[in-house]
Every structure is written in C-alpha cells, then in structure tokens.
Amino acid sequence: MTQPAEINIRRDQRHSIDPMIYGHFLESAFFGNIQGGVFDEGSPLAYGGDDVRSGLRTDVIKLCQELGLPVVRWPGGNFTSAYHWEDGIGPRSARPRRLELAWGSEEDNRFGTDEFLTWCAEVGTEPYLAHSCRDVDEAVRWVEYTNYGGDTEYTRKRGRPPYGVKYWGLGNEVYGDWQMGHRTAEAYAADAAEHARFMRAVDPGLKFIAVGNSDYDWTKTVLGAVGNQIDYLSFHLYGATTQLVDGATEYDEIVAQSLYFEQQIVEYSDLVAGIARRPIGLALDEWNIRHVEPASWPVPHPSDDGGTVARDVDGLPTYPAHRVNRWSPRTLADALFYAGVFHALHRAAGREIPVTMANTVNLLNANGVVVARPGGAVRAATYHVWDLYQNYLGPVALAADVRSSSRLAAVRQGDERDHRGDFRTRPSTVPDLDVSATTDGRAVQLAVINRHRDTAIRADLTLDGRRDTLPSRAAVKQLGADDVLASNTLSNPDAVALRDLGIVDLPEPTYEFPAHSITLLSFALSG
C-alpha cells in the first residue's frame, strides 16, 4: 500500500550550492586512511619505483577520480595537534619514526606533504592542509615549502615548482582538552590572528579556516580577533547508531539524525550571523555517523573482504560503555542519512552565513566512502550518494514544498549522552519524504529520500504550483537495496549501487518512490 504525498518545486527562490560541501577528509595514523589505504608500499596495486608516487594505491586513485573530489583535508583531525610537517619531507628512509599521541600509534612519516599533494594532483582535488596553530614559524615555513616561488633553503628542499596550496586550517578542536595545544578562546584567537597574518605574508592568496564551535562566547571571541582574516569558521557534527546482536536494527534512528544536523546547521549559522562583521562561510570540516558498540565486545578488526571480521558477541554484556567501530561498513541506511545531510546543506545555502565547505570523516576506510583492502578497493554504499549529488544534481538550489506522511520520534542528538550513558534525544516530527530540488538551467532535478522502511510513497509533482509545467518524461536514477543494512564488499561490490532507469514516461505528474530509497528525477526544460 502506498501513501499519498505532494511535492511542489518552486523557482521563485534560488541559491547557489557551493561544490565544496561535497569534500572529504584523511587523517594520518587513523584506521587505514593512509597506511593500507591511499598509501600501501609494496602492494601490487600501488605505484612502484622510487619517486614520490611510489606506494600510492592506483585502484583508490581511480575510484576517487571517477567520483570527483572537490577538496580533501589532511593530516587531521586530532593528528594535526602534535604533527610537525618537517618530519614528513625528504628521503623516506631518513624520516623520523615518532610516537604519535592522538591515536597511540607510531608514525613512520613515510607519507608526508609531498606524497599527499602528489596524490591530490593525481586525483584532481584541492588540498586543505591543517596546521596545529601552535608555532607561527613552523606554519610560515610550511607555506614557504609548499607555495613560495623564490630560492630559499625550503624551496630547494621541495625541488619542484610551488604546489599552490590555497586552503589552510588554523588548528583543530583546540577548545577540547583532548587536543595537544588546548587553549582558552582568548589564547587561541590571538594565536590564530598571528598565524594568519604571517602565513599570508608568504602567500597573500591563502584561505583560512579557524576553529569554531557552538559556544557563543568562543565564537564571539574568535571572530572578534580573527574574523577579518579568515574565510571559514569550522564546526563538527557526528551522529551515532548502536550495533546490535539480536537481528534488530536502528534504521529509523539512523535516517532521522539528518534532522539533528539540520537543526545544528541552522542554529550555528544564525549564531555566526549575529556576530560576524563581514561575510564568511562555515566549514563543516568533520561530519559522519558513528557506529558504536559495547566496549565489552572483542576488539573489531578489518576483514579482507571489507567491513569487520566476524566476532562471537552472543551473551556478552552490552551496557553501558560504548566505543566506535572504525571498521564497520557503511550501509544503505547510512546512505539515506548522508543524503538527508546534503538536503539540509542545500536548504541552508540561502542563509546569511551558509555552509560553503564540508568534509566527511573519512574518505577511505574508517567508515569511509571507499574501502581498501590488500586485495582491492570497493565503493561503499555511501560512495553513490556523493556520485548522485555532486555529479547529477544542479548547482542551484530551488525551494520545494512537501506534504507527506510523518512520524513523531525521539531523534537522537548526535553522539551526546546523558548521565546514565544513554543517547540524548529530542521529540521531533520526521517526514517520510525529504526533498531537494535543483537546476542547472537546462533541467530541474528532484532528489527524493523515502525514509519509510516498508512503504512506497506516491507523490503528486508540480512545478510552480502547476501540474502542466513539468515535462511528461524524466531521467531517473535510484539508490536502494532490499536490505536496509546492505553494504558493499569486494566479493559483492554492487549490493548497494546507483541504478540508471533511463527515461521514464510520466503521463500523469506523479511518481512512486520505493521504500528506503533515494531517487533522482531530472526533467529537461524547454525554452
């Protein structure tokens, strides 16, 4: 049985979607992002030889080229706070091996600045380098090494033309006591202002991302000191879902959390708009949904086929402590959540302070959109969300009025916990249909998420309130699977895949959207 709904696309409101919202993130020393991911020395799937490309995985590069990556942030993340970039340049055999404090590992520094920037050039993406913002001279010399065109000790070490790195982060989460270099807002703001001033003295074309968060006093202090020097203010958002052992799923909890993200995006945009003295963008430069599990379970390990090695968890306690399973595969449910976040970003494009960059954690392995194992690489279920939204939607967001069935739910507020260790929730109305409409001037694209787990929904479609303005044919692409927790593996790479249904006749302006799916309708405009 299908549920009736109505979707009206309105062309009276138009706002540009910044393509940088489809960006990505890599962190060194982090669960296969680099080692065994983009970089795998000795692998038959990697470049050989002894030049800077040696060790870069060619299968990973190919998948990234096919997708298209607008921007990639590196080296972190938490790893940034204690990182010294000079450890990662020069002959690999001479680079120091360091105790790495963010994730408790040892960093061999064989993948450094030149390897990352060479990888970016191979893939065709803009690099975003994040500095710890703890040492001005170190930051200045990093810019000199990557961008300066003169004849100095550092440019001679570089030994090639300037890279021209445009995007630079001024620290990472320095408001948190888990960071080396944790500071008050006043101390950080003074440091960020000094870093920006002298880094830009080396290259006036740099664009800076300063550390923000949802705290009013922090935001006011940082913008007051460095607001006239930065281009972006960052914030981070994470959702969470619990892995269960009894066959039950948290599908509804997963797909609803994009509402929490939208609420946070709107609130932070309004907060910054009330403080900023000049236009800037927001950088959601870390975001994802975490798969958490009881800490009493055996430690997860990556399987050769993708995902996690099977563990015997029956009968083990499940409460209260949780840890993040960095190797759990992304599922169709996750894909619907990601699509919902993109819809939220599209709707926020017209705000006074919009999100103009976003970087999901992570690009590769560690819950990423690409999964690499010794035997090959595969597109995760969520890879296809990026493909659909950045490669088939238009660059201009249109308004869309939607009437559909809905449910009242306790929507999880990210990974926040109460004093009992339970997830914090907020009662919210969760629509079954979530819609984003765009245009490229030649066509109108309609992206529709049907969140309902079991029921297809037929919607009447109108353009500018009229049934006769939409063409009677549409190009249709669809992402879905029978199992809401389906995921892709090396042996079954298309369990969740983007299907091209071709041109579909719509003699009546209606369409039936399958349960737990994402559908893109593209209507060619005449004249």
Side-chain angles (χ1 to χ4, degrees):
M1 179 180 178
T2 62
Q3 297 286 336
E6 298 175 4
I7 300 171
N8 178 42
I9 305 166
R10 289 172 32 213
R11 291 180 288 184
D12 60 336
Q13 294 185 18
R14 298 167 179 259
H15 304 289
S16 294
I17 299 170
D18 197 308
M20 300 287 273
I21 68 169
Y22 302 117
H24 298 273
F25 173 103
L26 288 170
E27 179 149 11
S28 291
F30 190 79
F31 298 89
N33 267 212
I34 304 300
Q35 299 285 356
V38 301
F39 186 68
D40 200 357
E41 289 180 292
S43 167
L45 298 171
Y47 285 122
D50 57 4
D51 66 0
V52 70
R53 296 196 311 171
S54 176
L56 300 181
R57 283 276 293 260
T58 58
D59 54 342
V60 170
I61 288 172
K62 183 175 183 293
L63 290 180
C64 292
Q65 288 172 335
E66 290 177 1
L67 181 60
L69 312 179
V71 63
V72 178
R73 180 185 178 206
W74 176 85
N78 291 346
F79 182 88
T80 297
S81 297
Y83 182 60
H84 297 289
W85 68 270
E86 288 192 63
D87 287 347
I89 64 170
R92 291 179 187 170
S93 60
R95 297 179 190 177
R97 187 177 185 89
R98 303 284 192 199
L99 173 62
E100 184 278 312
L101 298 177
W103 304 108
S105 63
E106 294 180 3
E107 172 58 39
D108 62 18
N109 286 298
R110 294 179 70 82
F111 184 94
T113 298
D114 294 290
E115 286 79 13
F116 173 66
L117 297 179
T118 297
W119 181 85
C120 287
E122 288 273 319
V123 168
T125 187
E126 286 275 1
Y128 163 9
L129 293 178
H131 186 262
S132 65
C133 201
R134 294 194 298 119
D135 185 321
V136 177
D137 186 65
E138 182 184 61
V140 165
R141 301 309 164 197
W142 203 5
V143 178
E144 180 184 354
Y145 183 83
T146 61
N147 289 16
Y148 185 58
D151 181 17
T152 68
E153 177 187 359
Y154 282 104
T155 62
R156 290 174 188 172
K157 287 181 178 181
R158 186 181 69 217
R160 51 146 290 155
Y163 289 106
V165 179
K166 183 188 303 182
Y167 299 97
W168 292 81
L170 302 173
N172 176 76
E173 295 181 355
V174 295
Y175 48 78
D177 59 8
W178 56 89
Q179 297 291 327
M180 181 180 289
H182 165 53
R183 281 155 283 179
T184 64
E186 291 76 13
Y188 167 70
D191 288 342
E194 185 181 21
H195 277 68
R197 175 187 173 189
F198 287 101
M199 291 168 75
R200 195 165 270 151
V202 181
D203 184 346
L206 301 186
K207 292 185 178 294
F208 292 115
I209 301 94
V211 174
N213 69 20
S214 59
D215 180 77
Y216 175 85
D217 291 335
W218 178 279
T219 302
K220 183 177 180 181
T221 299
V222 170
L223 287 176
V226 77
N228 63 338
Q229 294 174 272
I230 63 173
D231 303 276
Y232 302 86
L233 190 64
S234 74
F235 67 120
H236 298 166
L237 290 174
Y238 287 94
T241 176
T242 303
Q243 295 183 236
L244 306 172
V245 298
D246 59 0
T249 67
E250 288 206 318
Y251 170 81
D252 288 332
E253 288 81 358
I254 293 170
V255 299
Q257 283 181 71
S258 61
L259 274 71
Y260 162 72
F261 274 56
E262 185 155 14
Q263 163 209 322
Q264 293 296 305
I265 290 166
V266 168
E267 289 182 2
Y268 194 53
S269 172
D270 287 347
L271 172 64
V272 176
I275 299 171
R277 295 192 291 263
R278 55 183 282 271
I280 61 171
L282 299 180
L284 180 57
D285 58 2
E286 289 189 28
W287 70 277
N288 207 331
I289 187 165
R290 290 167 168 156
H291 292 191
V292 298
E293 65 182 28
S296 57
W297 288 9
V299 173
H301 295 285
S303 70
D304 287 342
D305 200 31
T308 307
V309 173
R311 297 167 288 169
D312 184 5
V313 297
D314 288 343
L316 291 176
T318 60
Y319 185 86
H322 289 77
R323 63 157 173 256
V324 181
N325 182 343
R326 308 289 184 180
W327 299 107
S328 61
R330 301 287 93 173
T331 68
L332 176 63
D334 294 321
L336 268 63
F337 159 78
Y338 287 121
V341 175
F342 285 137
H343 288 197
L345 293 172
H346 296 173
R347 286 189 283 264
R351 303 192 71 82
E352 183 179 350
I353 302 291
V355 175
T356 50
M357 182 193 291
N359 309 77
T360 188
V361 178
N362 291 274
L363 170 63
L364 189 74
N365 292 329
N367 316 134
V369 300
V370 175
V371 176
R373 295 292 188 265
V378 66
R379 302 168 184 83
T382 49
Y383 177 102
H384 301 292
V385 178
W386 267 259
D387 184 19
L388 186 68
Y389 280 75
Q390 72 181 41
N391 295 324
Y392 296 103
L393 265 68
V396 176
L398 303 175
D401 301 325
V402 184
R403 293 181 62 186
S404 79
S405 54
S406 62
R407 61 187 175 90
L408 182 63
V411 174
R412 196 168 288 166
Q413 303 297 285
D415 199 9
E416 296 184 19
R417 312 296 181 97
D418 62 20
H419 65 281
R420 296 182 301 273
D422 296 327
F423 290 114
R424 294 187 184 278
T425 63
R426 176 179 293 183
S428 303
T429 299
V430 182
D432 287 331
L433 293 190
D434 192 338
V435 174
S436 177
T438 67
T439 184
D440 57 8
R442 300 182 305 274
V444 168
Q445 299 85 24
L446 185 66
V448 180
I449 306 164
N450 181 358
R451 294 189 177 106
H452 201 289
R453 180 170 183 157
D454 304 310
T455 304
I457 298 178
R458 178 170 291 279
D460 291 331
L461 310 177
T462 55
L463 179 62
D464 299 327
R466 294 176 53 181
R467 292 172 58 87
D468 60 353
T469 50
L470 277 176
S472 59
R473 309 178 80 204
V476 181
K477 290 180 170 59
Q478 207 157 76
L479 184 65
D482 291 338
D483 181 359
V484 297
L485 296 185
S487 61
N488 294 338
T489 61
L490 270 67
S491 60
N492 188 10
D494 297 317
V496 182
L498 188 60
R499 293 188 299 145
D500 189 342
L501 304 185
I503 303 298
V504 175
D505 289 325
L506 302 176
E508 296 293 329
T510 67
Y511 193 86
E512 183 172 286
F513 299 98
H516 57 263
S517 69
I518 307 167
T519 303
L520 175 64
L521 304 177
S522 183
F523 297 92
L525 299 175
S526 58

